Amino acid sequence: MAEALRAAGFPLLASKLSGESIEEDRSEANPTNWGPDDARIIFTAYFEGTANVVERRTTQIGLFHELDRGIDVGSDATSAAQAARTARENGRRSKPLRFKMGVDGCGHEHGLAGVVFAFGLRGQCERLAACVRAVRGVLGEPKTQLNIVGLSRGAVAALAVAEMLGATPQLFVGESAELPSL
């Protein structure tokens, strides 16, 4: 599993799981493409499974959220903006500045309709998009790398949030892809 995480671009998470120590290697960055080295903010969202809760750590999504060293923005735009203001006022100058957000399963938040029909997933995506906008707004709209980690419905959520934030399909799934409507 650690090798798969490393291959997917998560060397720190891979090192945590394997128990080895590692420093982030930025020497392989390609300066002609926009990438993680150019981001001033890294915002990572973790979408828990259908009826799971991030804080209970019942799946690997909860574990990934727990291991993430980013500043937890809470679950709404107001708390996200406050987290960004606090980071700015406390002089957090790590580059890039890292934020994280955990999203409980839509079945946990919306009961049977969430479990069966994914009711509430769009609202969760809108809440995440609002949190990203709030953090960026407080910090002056810097270049932002958005990572979304989730399984099944989390993948659908990733596409929906990217669309809500104005990403085009070419930016994240290839030139010929079309986004699903939610």
Side-chain angles (χ1 to χ4, degrees):
M1 183 155 154
E3 285 305 311
L5 286 169
R6 198 171 283 106
F10 297 101
L12 292 176
L13 187 55
S15 69
K16 287 274 191 188
L17 290 175
S18 66
E20 62 191 56
S21 68
I22 184 172
E23 294 296 320
E24 289 183 279
D25 180 16
R26 302 220 181 254
S27 62
E28 297 179 16
N30 182 351
T32 61
N33 294 329
W34 189 94
D37 291 338
D38 299 315
R40 305 273 298 145
I41 294 174
I42 295 178
F43 195 114
T44 305
Y46 298 89
F47 276 84
E48 189 52 271
T50 302
N52 296 313
V53 178
V54 172
E55 296 299 322
R56 289 190 194 145
R57 212 169 50 122
T58 54
T59 70
Q60 70 273 31
I61 301 300
L63 175 64
F64 295 162
H65 179 265
E66 181 181 308
L67 292 174
D68 188 321
R69 294 180 290 177
I71 299 165
D72 197 332
V73 300
S75 61
D76 59 63
T78 302
S79 61
Q82 183 58 46
R85 278 191 292 278
T86 300
R88 183 184 63 204
E89 290 165 6
N90 289 340
R92 288 274 309 249
R93 298 286 182 229
S94 65
K95 186 182 179 198
L97 195 55
R98 297 173 185 265
F99 294 92
K100 68 180 180 178
M101 179 176 172
V103 182
D104 294 333
C106 54
H108 172 75
E109 290 188 3
H110 299 281
L112 184 61
V115 171
V116 177
F117 303 111
F119 179 79
L121 185 62
R122 183 163 193 75
Q124 291 177 321
C125 294
E126 289 167 352
R127 202 168 65 221
L128 171 58
C131 288
V132 171
R133 287 186 194 106
V135 167
R136 293 187 76 235
V138 167
L139 298 175
E141 303 291 326
K143 284 186 177 178
T144 303
Q145 174 184 327
L146 176 61
N147 302 315
I148 300 176
V149 181
L151 306 172
S152 188
R153 293 180 189 185
V156 173
L159 292 172
V161 171
E163 181 181 32
M164 288 174 188
L165 292 171
T168 60
Q170 295 87 334
L171 292 176
F172 58 97
V173 290
E175 287 187 32
S176 62
E178 292 184 24
L179 290 175
S181 295
L182 292 181

